[in-house]
Amino acid sequence: MEGDNKLIYFNKSSIKLGELERYVITYDLYQGDDIPADIRLDSIWVKIKNTTKLSYKAAYLLGPFILYCDVRAKDYENSRKIISSMDKPVFQPNLQAQQNFLTELSLHEIKPRYVWIVDVASQIIFNKETKVNFEISIGSSKASLKKRTRCDDTSSGKVCNTSFIGLSVQRLTTAEIWEVPPAISLSQKSHLVILTHGFQSNVSADMAYMMEEIYKSQMNFPNERLVIKGYMKNICETEKGIKFLGIGLANYIINELYDDSVEKISFIGHSLGGLIQTFAICYIKTKHADFFKKVQPVNFISLASPLLGIATGTPNYVKMSLSMGIIGTTGQELGLKDTTYSDKPLLYMLSDESLINVLFQFKRRTLYINAINDGIVPLYSSSLLFLDYSQLLQKLAGEITSSCDPFFQPPVDPRKAPPNQNNNDSDNNKISTSSWNTFWKSKGNQSNKKSKRLMNTSVIKSMKSVVLPPCPDPEFFLNPDARATTIIHDKIYTEKDLPPPSSTLYEGTTLKGDDKTKKTRKEMEEIIARRWHKGMDWRKVVVSLKPDAHNNIIVRRRFANAYGWPVIDHLVATHFKRDDSDTPQKLNNRSIEEDTRTVTNSVEPNKLFSWLTKIEDPGAYRGGLVSTASHFASSWISKHSSVTD
C-alpha cells in the first residue's frame, strides 16, 4: 500500500485534573455499493505517549501524572457478546510518564466505514494547576509510529498522509464531550440532572460514563430534554466541608442552570456527593422557597454515600485522623464531631425533619450500597443503617467463600439468634429483631471478622486502587453472560419496616438524641438514620462488586472500572426508562405513592436555620493536610521549574 510505514496523524496535547480528550477516528474503506477488487484490509496503528518528564513520576501531590487511555469501536455495547477478539476494546489505566500505549485498529471485515473512539483522561487528583502532556500518533504500521519526523510538526492535529484520503480524526475537548446533545423534539421543557462527585474527585472525567449512559435514555422522553450537568468548581476543595461544597452547588443550580425551561430536576451523588447534594437541596429549599414548587423533584439518588458519616466503621487511626482535621472540615463532619455553631454534628442537624421533608416531594429516593470491597464508605452508613443483614450475608456467602476472602465467616444462623419478639402479622415486612440485634452487637465489636468484612476493607488499599484499580479479565468484556450477579438486594424500606429502637436511645417517650443529652457516635448514627426514615420510604439497592468497589459503582473509568456497568444499567433503567411522571413506581408488588404534604416554614429561615444559610468567613472552611501539602509543593515547583513544559 502506498503510504506504508508513514505517519497518518499526529497531535500534541495536555489535560488537567478532571479533563479528558476524545479522538474519533473515521476511516472510509470504500465508497459506493461495489467493493473494489484491490481493497486492502491492512490495520491502522495508534500510539499514545505520556510525555511528562520522568522526574515527575513520583510527584503524587502534584499529580499523579498518569493517563488513562481506552480504544473501542464506536458501536461497542457492553451488553453485546463479542465474537471476534479483534473487536475487543483495549485500555491502559496507568500510563506513566514517558510510557507508550500502542494498539492496533483492525480492519478484519469488509464494510464501508470504520469508526473508533480513543479516550484519554487525566488521572491527576490533588492539583488543578498542573497537567499531563501527551502525544497521539496514528500510522499505517508499527514502524511508522517510531519516528514522528515523518509527519511534519506543523501538521499537528491534521491528517498528514494523503494516501489515507478516507481517514479523518475529530478531536473533542472535555467541554465538547459534556455538551447537551441536539434535541430530538421541539419541546422546550427540560429535565435537569445534577451529578455530584465525591471526595478528591471530579464530575467531568469521573462521572462522564454515567452522563453518557443517561443521555442514551433521551429517546424515552419525547416531550422533554435531558440536561446533565455537574458543578466543576468543587474540585480540590472537597476538604473544606459539606456546607462549603453544598452552598457552591446550590448557587450553581440557581444562578447558572435554572431558567424557565426547567420543569424537573434529579440529583445523583457519589460518595461525599450524596451529602453535598443533600445540603444543596436543603439550602435551596430554605433560601429559595418557591424553587421546588416551580420545579418537580424526580430522583434523589446516592451511590456509596456516607449518609451517617464514617465515625464507627473505620479503624482507630482513621478516626483519629478525622478528628485532628487531617482531611479538613469534611473529615471532622464525617467523624460526627460537634460543629462550631452547635453541640450537635452537622449530619444530625442536616437530618432535621423540617429540612429534609423536601425529600418527600421526590418521586424516587434510591440508595446504591456496596456490600463488600469498599474501604472508603461502610455499608451501614451508605444504607442508612437499616437492612436485612441476615439475608444479605446469606447471598454473599457463596461469593466471598469462592474468592477465599480471609475475613469471611458463615452467616449467622437465625435459628440460633434471639427469636423475633414481634408476632404481629401486619409487621411481617419488618427487619427481623434477630437480624438487627446480630448486626448491632457485632457493630460495636470491631474484632468480629464478619462485621468488619461487611463494614470496611482496607482504607489504604482502597485509596491506592483509585489510580491502580484491579481490572476485569478479557472474558468480562467478551461475554456478558460470564459476569457475576451484581445486584444482590433490591427492596423498598419504609419507617414501618424498621426494628424497634435500641433501648439506650429512649428516655421516657422521647429520643435522647433530640434533647441535650450527649450521645455516643454509635447512638447518634441510629438517631440520624431514624430521622431520615421518618415518614419516608427508601429503595435500597445493595451491590456486590469486586475491588475497587467504591469507584467501580460509578464506573469512574469506562473499562478499568467496568465491574460497575450493571449498577449504571440498573440506575438508568430504573430512573430514566420512560416518562412515568403520573405512574407510581412499583417494586415487589409494593407501590410508592407520592407524598403530597406541603412544605412550609413558619419561622423566617435565616433565624431558624442560620447555621445553614449564614455565609461563613472563608477561613472557617479549613482544608486538610493533603490540600496544604499539594499547595506548598506546587508553589515550590513553580519557583524552580515548570511542570507544564
Side-chain angles (χ1 to χ4, degrees):
M1 175 189 293
E2 183 183 356
D4 281 354
N5 297 321
K6 289 187 178 180
L7 207 58
I8 304 170
Y9 175 89
F10 171 78
N11 190 54
K12 285 183 175 181
S13 193
S14 61
I15 43 181
K16 294 184 175 181
L17 190 158
E19 292 184 341
L20 67 159
E21 285 192 359
R22 175 166 295 169
Y23 295 82
V24 182
I25 304 171
T26 303
Y27 184 50
D28 290 321
L29 188 60
Y30 65 91
Q31 295 181 346
D33 297 329
D34 297 328
I35 301 175
D38 60 346
I39 192 169
R40 296 277 298 271
L41 298 178
D42 298 315
S43 296
I44 298 171
W45 293 81
V46 175
K47 182 180 77 172
I48 299 169
K49 180 176 182 179
N50 184 339
T51 58
T52 305
K53 293 179 179 179
L54 193 60
S55 57
Y56 292 114
K57 185 175 181 179
Y60 265 65
L61 289 178
L62 289 174
F65 293 94
I66 300 172
L67 293 173
Y68 165 87
C69 315
D70 68 50
V71 181
R72 67 190 186 277
K74 185 180 180 181
D75 59 355
Y76 174 80
E77 293 290 342
N78 61 50
S79 60
R80 188 172 66 232
K81 188 173 184 178
I82 295 177
I83 304 300
S84 171
S85 61
M86 302 304 293
D87 291 324
K88 181 176 68 71
V90 293
F91 64 98
Q92 171 53 261
N94 185 33
L95 191 65
Q96 302 273 2
Q98 295 300 309
Q99 287 185 342
N100 296 324
F101 170 55
L102 182 68
T103 188
E104 177 184 10
L105 306 182
S106 172
L107 281 66
H108 56 281
E109 61 178 302
I110 299 176
K111 59 182 181 180
R113 171 171 287 185
Y114 280 85
V115 182
W116 300 276
I117 294 178
V118 179
D119 280 348
V120 183
S122 167
Q123 292 282 54
I124 292 176
I125 297 175
F126 301 116
N127 194 295
K128 58 185 176 182
E129 302 301 328
T130 54
K131 59 188 178 183
V132 187
N133 301 312
F134 70 94
E135 297 174 350
I136 178 170
S137 307
I138 302 174
S140 58
S141 66
K142 280 187 180 181
S144 68
L145 300 176
K146 293 181 179 179
K147 293 184 179 181
R148 176 162 48 88
T149 54
R150 295 181 183 235
C151 190
D152 196 310
D153 284 348
T154 59
S155 299
S156 181
K158 298 179 181 179
V159 174
C160 56
N161 190 331
T162 57
S163 300
F164 286 83
I165 298 175
L167 188 141
S168 63
V169 181
Q170 180 188 14
R171 172 179 169 267
L172 300 175
T173 63
T174 311
E176 291 169 327
I177 293 170
W178 275 83
E179 284 181 356
V180 179
I184 62 173
S185 72
L186 299 178
S187 174
Q188 298 300 313
K189 300 177 182 179
S190 63
H191 179 174
L192 187 60
V193 181
I194 305 297
L195 305 186
T196 311
H197 65 80
F199 186 78
Q200 297 293 9
S201 183
N202 63 83
V203 170
S204 45
D206 293 356
M207 305 185 82
Y209 176 85
M210 182 187 296
M211 173 267 293
E212 293 186 322
E213 291 300 301
I214 296 174
Y215 269 134
K216 289 180 181 179
S217 66
Q218 175 64 79
M219 65 182 68
N220 299 325
F221 302 93
N223 298 319
E224 67 186 34
R225 189 180 189 186
L226 292 176
V227 177
I228 306 173
K229 296 290 183 181
Y231 185 48
M232 311 293 186
K233 293 183 181 180
N234 272 345
I235 60 170
C236 290
E237 304 286 351
T238 53
E239 297 180 0
K240 292 187 176 181
I242 295 165
K243 177 177 180 178
F244 174 85
L245 301 166
I247 290 177
L249 174 60
N251 289 333
Y252 170 67
I253 293 170
I254 295 297
N255 299 329
E256 299 185 43
L257 298 182
Y258 175 74
D259 58 38
D260 291 339
S261 71
V262 178
E263 293 197 346
K264 296 179 181 179
I265 191 167
S266 291
F267 291 84
I268 306 175
H270 173 236
S271 193
L272 182 65
L275 286 168
I276 295 169
Q277 67 183 19
T278 302
F279 192 101
I281 290 168
C282 293
Y283 184 86
I284 291 172
K285 178 243 181 179
T286 305
K287 292 283 287 185
H288 307 276
D290 292 336
F291 182 84
F292 290 111
K293 295 178 182 178
K294 296 182 291 185
V295 180
Q296 177 190 353
V298 180
N299 299 304
F300 176 90
I301 305 169
S302 73
L303 299 103
S305 292
L307 302 174
L308 303 179
I310 51 175
T312 63
T314 51
N316 288 331
Y317 69 87
V318 176
K319 297 176 193 175
M320 185 177 297
S321 298
L322 295 176
S323 180
M324 293 172 59
I326 198 168
I327 58 171
T329 300
T330 299
Q332 295 175 330
E333 291 169 347
L334 293 178
L336 298 185
K337 185 176 180 180
D338 294 349
T339 61
T340 57
Y341 35 76
S342 172
D343 60 351
K344 292 289 191 293
L346 176 71
L347 301 191
Y348 173 85
M349 299 173 68
L350 195 58
S351 64
D352 186 280
E353 182 182 5
S354 57
L355 281 177
I356 65 171
N357 63 8
V358 69
L359 297 180
F360 283 118
Q361 300 177 56
F362 281 79
K363 171 174 277 301
R364 288 174 285 265
R365 294 168 293 277
T366 306
L367 309 179
Y368 285 89
I369 305 148
N370 277 321
I372 56 175
N373 296 322
D374 188 336
I376 305 297
V377 176
L379 174 146
Y380 80 87
S381 186
S382 57
S383 65
L384 286 175
L385 194 59
F386 300 107
L387 282 173
D388 191 334
Y389 289 95
S390 293
Q391 182 188 97
L392 199 59
L393 282 165
Q394 289 170 3
K395 287 192 175 183
L396 286 170
E399 178 177 341
I400 301 180
T401 301
S402 64
S403 65
C404 300
D405 192 297
F407 288 109
F408 178 74
Q409 290 182 348
V412 176
D413 186 342
R415 294 170 297 181
K416 297 179 181 179
N420 189 347
Q421 300 299 318
N422 192 339
N423 296 316
N424 191 330
D425 290 339
S426 65
D427 292 330
N428 285 338
N429 288 323
K430 278 191 176 182
I431 301 170
S432 68
T433 303
S434 62
S435 171
W436 174 245
N437 286 344
T438 299
F439 170 76
W440 194 244
K441 290 176 182 178
S442 67
K443 185 173 182 292
N445 178 12
Q446 290 298 298
S447 64
N448 183 289
K449 291 183 179 180
K450 172 172 55 59
S451 67
K452 220 176 184 183
R453 183 66 190 90
L454 276 177
M455 291 195 300
N456 181 64
T457 55
S458 168
V459 174
I460 295 175
K461 286 183 179 179
S462 293
M463 292 299 291
K464 179 181 178 181
S465 61
V466 172
V467 177
L468 306 173
C471 298
D473 57 42
E475 182 68 13
F476 183 93
F477 301 107
L478 296 173
N479 184 12
D481 296 333
R483 299 168 191 166
T485 300
T486 299
I487 310 296
I488 61 172
H489 184 77
D490 188 348
K491 180 181 176 181
I492 295 174
Y493 289 80
T494 70
E495 186 178 15
K496 294 180 180 179
D497 296 328
L498 272 55
S502 303
S503 58
T504 57
L505 293 188
Y506 273 108
E507 186 176 74
T509 58
T510 306
L511 277 176
K512 288 183 180 180
D514 289 332
D515 61 24
K516 297 298 182 181
T517 305
K518 193 69 175 176
K519 310 303 297 177
T520 67
R521 285 171 172 166
K522 192 171 76 167
E523 290 171 329
M524 183 61 72
E525 289 165 348
E526 183 176 351
I527 292 167
I528 296 172
R530 290 185 179 278
R531 284 157 67 102
W532 276 75
H533 283 88
K534 190 172 183 179
M536 279 193 286
D537 48 61
W538 291 92
R539 183 172 185 171
K540 300 184 181 182
V541 184
V542 184
V543 304
S544 173
L545 294 173
K546 294 185 178 181
D548 165 35
H550 192 69
N551 286 288
N552 287 343
I553 200 170
I554 60 163
V555 189
R556 178 177 177 266
R557 296 291 181 261
R558 183 181 299 270
F559 295 109
N561 301 109
Y563 285 126
W565 286 347
V567 180
I568 303 302
D569 291 343
H570 183 279
L571 185 153
V572 174
T574 301
H575 302 85
F576 299 95
K577 187 173 183 179
R578 59 190 176 89
D579 190 355
D580 61 350
S581 57
D582 298 320
T583 306
Q585 176 184 343
K586 291 185 178 181
L587 180 66
N588 297 333
N589 297 319
R590 295 174 60 187
S591 175
I592 299 178
E593 301 294 342
E594 282 193 86
D595 195 296
T596 57
R597 280 177 280 187
T598 302
V599 179
T600 59
N601 282 330
S602 58
V603 182
E604 201 282 316
N606 285 331
K607 295 179 180 179
L608 187 62
F609 300 114
S610 60
W611 63 270
L612 183 146
T613 58
K614 181 182 177 182
I615 304 299
E616 308 284 353
D617 182 274
Y621 303 118
R622 297 183 300 278
L625 178 64
V626 172
S627 61
T628 302
S630 178
H631 173 74
F632 281 128
S634 182
S635 299
W636 186 89
I637 287 290
S638 64
K639 293 179 180 178
H640 294 82
S641 62
S642 175
V643 177
T644 59
D645 287 346

